[in-house]
């Protein structure tokens, strides 16, 4: 497999607020201690860039700058002007789409076709919230004592947006755009593995006319700056996407000052296939519902429940489709599955597979490293799994799927809901009554009927149970970045 080199980029450093009376938000040349984080191409295992790593001192500078920008006019900017800026950001994202996609591809090994789609998704998010600015309003309420009562939606202040490495650009957009649309300022902390497109977003936003300091981009390891950002007294809201363990830690820190928190966390999503479904469609589309992004997706349908009458036929078609997936160089147009983000992430998946093998479970497809170079792992199908197995219960975050038969709908639903997670899932049936009945009983924040589509810009996205709280996307996200104020005027 020949891997084309990624063009090296200039080392990039954190955004900091400009000096007083300056209109520039250009990056500083170094972080406060001069440390750099190497960026590794997962397909080649080679370092291709270095990014300045922020320190706790940089956190204070960034938050203070964002707070000043909030007080000095962004919160009071007219809706029309705020709308214009967000539309400009969307336009510049589209104009720079190929460069952004190439960055994402090299930084985390995402197939180039997927990266292009995700950059366009980011542009659509900014367009949606640009339009939402003038369509987000309060209520007038008739109250018992007469007079005039109304509600206002007001911005909170500085929002800390902490995004993961698996979908760096779109998730950054769907946190930053509604927060800005609502009148907040944002400190955006990308994952240390994938900061490049987040920093580019900050540069694009400045070019689009976003006032100085309104969006600060702060690369660095969460272990070194995360707590400082979350605990900073001027941060009013934390929006986090990542692991359940880190989400729980964030809630604990935020509780000290009763900060507002929204969390989109882990998942172990079900894919439920009934015998009356379009079996060909279900079986041939389901592999990419778990193996897309190399399984590094909290919505991955990694637990497949198939009605026993069609179990063997489904498994046969599923495995055949899995073996046809094109694994390889993420820069190649035909590639569907690239490498995992790191050697450590691949090792986690391999440990799950080894544990299943030692328990006597069947590895029906995959499970091996297809190439000597790069953090690749074949899409892996496990059969004979029991509900108590580790791989069935825990989020792998890699290209591993478990398929089990079921006989009884009620028992199947008990197994579906016997999970600490509840983020996403799919239901395949041509019986409308069954589809509605089962969708009501599955404990999940997002469900698809005869589809694997989890994310819609216009609709709320988030989970039940330990998959998080609060919602991204749709008008629900705007609500999550505002405080609701009630005002009463006596007659």
């Amino acid at each position: 497999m020949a891997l084309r080199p990624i063009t090296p980029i200039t080392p990039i450093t954190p955004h900091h607020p400009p000096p007083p009376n300056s209109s520039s938000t250009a990056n500083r040349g170094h972080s406060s201690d001069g440390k750099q984080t190497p960026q590794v191409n997962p397909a080649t295992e080679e370092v291709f860039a270095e990014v300045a790593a922020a320190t706790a001192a940089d956190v204070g500078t960034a938050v203070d700058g964002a707070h000043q920008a909030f007080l000095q006019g962004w919160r009071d900017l007219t809706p029309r002007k705020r709308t214009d800026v967000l539309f400009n950001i969307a336009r510049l994202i589209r104009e720079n789409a190929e460069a952004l996609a190439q960055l994402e591809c090299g930084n985390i090994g995402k197939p180039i076709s997927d990266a292009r789609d995700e950059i366009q998704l980011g542009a659509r998010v900014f367009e949606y919230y640009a339009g939402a600015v003038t369509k987000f309003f309060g209520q007038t309420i008739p109250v018992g004592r007469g007079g005039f009562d109304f509600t206002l939606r007001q911005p909170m202040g500085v929002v800390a947006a902490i995004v993961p490495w698996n979908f760096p650009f779109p998730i950054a957009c769907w946190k930053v755009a509604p927060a800005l649309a609502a009148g907040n300022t944002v400190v955006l902390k990308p994952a240390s593995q994938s900061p490049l497109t987040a920093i580019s977003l900050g540069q694009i936003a400045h070019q689009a006319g976003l006032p100085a300091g309104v969006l600060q981009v702060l690369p660095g390891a969460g272990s070194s700056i995360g707590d400082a950002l979350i605990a900073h007294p001027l941060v009013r809201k934390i929006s986090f996407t990542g692991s359940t363990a880190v989400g729980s830690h964030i809630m604990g820190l935020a509780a000290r000052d009763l900060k507002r928190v929204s969390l989109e966390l882990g998942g172990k999503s079900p894919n439920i296939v009934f015998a009356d479904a379009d079996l060909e469609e279900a079986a041939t589309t389901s592999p990419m519902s778990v193996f897309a992004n190399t399984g590094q997706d909290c919505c991955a349908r990694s637990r497949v429940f198939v009605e026993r009458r069609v179990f063997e036929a489904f498994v046969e078609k599923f495995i055949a489709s899995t073996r046809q997936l094109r694994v390889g160089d993420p820069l190649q147009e035909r590639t569907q599955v690239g490498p995992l983000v790191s050697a450590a992430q691949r090792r986690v998946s391999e440990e799950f597979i080894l544990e299943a093998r030692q328990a006597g479970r069947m590895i029906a497809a995959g499970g091996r490293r297809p190439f000597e170079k790069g953090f690749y792992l074949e899409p892996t199908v496990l059969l004979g799994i029991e509900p108590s197995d580790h791989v069935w219960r825990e989020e792998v975050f890699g290209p591993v799927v478990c398929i089990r038969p079921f006989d009884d709908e009620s028992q199947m639903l008990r197994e579906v809901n016997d999970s600490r997670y509840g983020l996403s899932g799919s239901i395949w049936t041509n019986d409308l009554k069954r589809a509605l009945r089962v969708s009501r009983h599955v404990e999940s924040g997002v469900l698809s009927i005869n589809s694997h589509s989890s994310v819609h810009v216009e609709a709320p996205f988030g989970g039940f149970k330990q998959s998080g709280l609060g919602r991204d996307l749709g008008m629900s996200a705007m609500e999550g970045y505002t405080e609701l104020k009630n005002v009463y005027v006596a007659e």
Side-chain angles (χ1 to χ4, degrees), residues 281-299:
E281 179 74 8
T284 57
T285 62
S286 287
M288 285 302 284
S289 78
V290 63
F291 300 134
N293 208 43
T294 324
Q296 299 166 128
D297 182 357
C298 50
C299 291

Side-chain angles (χ1 to χ4, degrees), residues 38 61 147 153 196 212 312 316 319 328 373 396-397 438 444 451 469:
T61 304
R153 285 282 184 181
L196 301 182
E312 290 186 6
E316 181 179 353
I319 292 174
K373 197 76 168 177
V396 177
F397 228 62
V438 173
S444 180
S451 165
L469 53 89

Side-chain angles (χ1 to χ4, degrees), residues 128-294:
Y128 176 82
Y129 287 108
V133 171
T134 55
K135 303 169 186 65
F136 185 65
F137 36 76
Q139 299 173 304
T140 58
I141 304 170
V143 292
R145 66 176 58 187
F148 181 66
D149 191 278
F150 63 97
T151 62
L152 299 172
R153 285 282 184 181
Q154 294 191 311
M156 295 176 172
V158 179
V159 171
I162 306 174
V163 302
W165 49 259
N166 58 333
F167 295 98
F169 190 76
I171 293 179
C173 291
W174 75 46
K175 293 186 186 300
V176 170
L180 295 181
N184 302 283
T185 56
V186 180
V187 177
L188 171 62
K189 200 208 85 61
S192 58
Q193 300 99 318
S194 57
L196 301 182
T197 51
I199 296 171
S200 296
L201 176 62
Q203 295 166 339
I204 284 171
H206 172 58
Q207 294 169 17
L210 196 70
V214 173
L215 174 60
Q216 307 276 344
V217 182
L218 200 67
S223 59
S224 59
I225 65 172
D227 286 5
L229 178 59
I230 295 159
H232 196 291
L234 293 178
V235 170
R236 298 291 181 86
K237 161 78 183 270
I238 301 104
S239 179
F240 171 78
T241 296
S243 73
T244 297
V246 175
S248 177
H249 176 70
I250 287 172
M251 280 194 73
L253 288 178
R256 299 174 186 176
D257 295 321
L258 297 179
K259 296 178 189 287
R260 278 52 175 156
V261 175
S262 60
L263 306 170
E264 193 265 286
L265 308 175
K268 194 68 179 176
S269 298
N271 184 10
I272 303 167
V273 182
F274 287 95
D276 72 313
D278 182 334
L279 198 63
E280 184 72 21
E281 179 74 8
T284 57
T285 62
S286 287
M288 285 302 284
S289 78
V290 63
F291 300 134
N293 208 43
T294 324

